[in-house]
Amino acid sequence: YTMGVTLAAGYSLSWFKDTFTKGEDFATLLEEAAHSSIGANGLLFMPFIAGERTPYADAKIRGTFTGIDSSHTRRDFTRAVMEGIAFSINESVEIFRNYGKNIDTVISIGGGAKSDQWLQIQADIFQAKVIKIQNEQGPGMGAAMIAASGLGWFSSLKDCAAAFIRTGRTFEPIPKNVKRYRDFYQVYKDVYPHTVAINHQLFDLREE
């Protein structure tokens, strides 16, 4: 069992909504973001608003919007947040692949799985098929499956999963999007090493 952690994944979008678009729903924000371009018109978001664990394990790093200019609108900022979260998760995916793991399928659950647009972004950034499951109770469902299998109700976890899990729509990577996101991802990975010292200084200067 291996895992990677983005401390503020869905929370980054919730923070953005509550801070800058209070009173509006997520559906409106995500619909706007669909009208921005891949790479959010050249805007990158680093989702380090609560520090980070993977791959940096850095309690002092903080989030940034990089590349802001006067052409950017709210839809670009929203899309940048969505893409930044996926880029962050992709750093864990990349680590697994560098250690020889073959990752060709991803099962997406939680808030990020409610938006077809976000699922397509994930597929394009992860360069993997992304499957949406019908039941959103991921951790709880997993615990129930382990218990059911442990009680001998099923001959194997595989048979248990076949009975419990119902898949929904599948999202395949779009080659032209994959190429664009690969370029933006390389820039994304450069932001941390170029801002870490500044963020640490700012953290230490904050009032108690």
Side-chain angles (χ1 to χ4, degrees):
Y1 174 76
T2 56
M3 66 181 291
V5 176
T6 293
L7 281 180
Y11 175 57
S12 288
L13 188 60
S14 297
W15 161 81
F16 179 80
K17 174 186 172 297
D18 293 341
T19 303
F20 299 106
T21 63
K22 202 169 186 68
E24 296 198 38
D25 57 27
F26 283 109
T28 300
L29 279 180
L30 299 184
E31 185 177 346
E32 281 186 358
H35 297 288
S36 180
S37 61
I38 287 177
N41 193 23
L43 182 64
L44 287 174
F45 172 71
M46 312 299 290
F48 306 146
I49 60 174
E52 191 53 288
R53 284 178 63 181
T54 307
Y56 307 113
D58 188 342
K60 292 185 177 181
I61 192 64
R62 288 297 179 263
T64 58
F65 282 104
T66 303
I68 301 172
D69 67 30
S70 59
S71 71
H72 289 122
T73 63
R74 187 173 74 174
R75 67 188 184 187
D76 298 317
F77 282 91
T78 304
R79 187 174 185 115
V81 172
M82 297 168 67
E83 292 176 342
I85 294 166
F87 283 144
S88 178
I89 297 171
N90 193 52
E91 292 197 283
S92 292
V93 173
E94 187 174 59
I95 290 171
F96 297 151
R97 285 175 171 154
N98 288 342
Y99 277 90
K101 300 293 184 181
N102 178 33
I103 300 176
D104 55 16
T105 302
V106 172
I107 296 176
S108 186
I109 63 172
K114 294 179 181 178
S115 164
D116 286 356
Q117 177 198 358
W118 208 348
L119 289 169
Q120 185 60 59
I121 288 172
Q122 292 173 40
D124 295 336
I125 290 176
F126 300 156
Q127 300 178 49
K129 176 172 62 178
V130 173
I131 298 175
K132 181 177 185 177
I133 60 174
Q134 294 179 2
N135 190 309
E136 284 295 309
Q137 303 303 318
M141 179 69 77
M145 288 166 56
I146 292 172
S149 181
L151 288 168
W153 295 357
F154 297 91
S155 59
S156 68
L157 275 173
K158 186 175 182 179
D159 290 340
C160 182
F164 273 70
I165 297 175
R166 294 290 179 267
T167 60
R169 186 177 172 187
T170 296
F171 297 80
E172 298 280 354
I174 300 172
K176 65 177 182 178
N177 294 354
V178 168
K179 183 179 184 305
R180 288 287 288 160
Y181 276 125
R182 188 183 298 125
D183 294 338
F184 278 107
Y185 178 61
Q186 295 308 311
V187 180
Y188 172 91
K189 291 198 297 181
D190 282 340
V191 176
Y192 176 84
H194 284 90
T195 61
V196 58
I198 294 172
N199 275 293
H200 282 208
Q201 291 174 56
L202 289 172
F203 184 93
D204 292 338
L205 288 170
R206 294 177 70 163
E207 295 183 359
E208 294 293 336

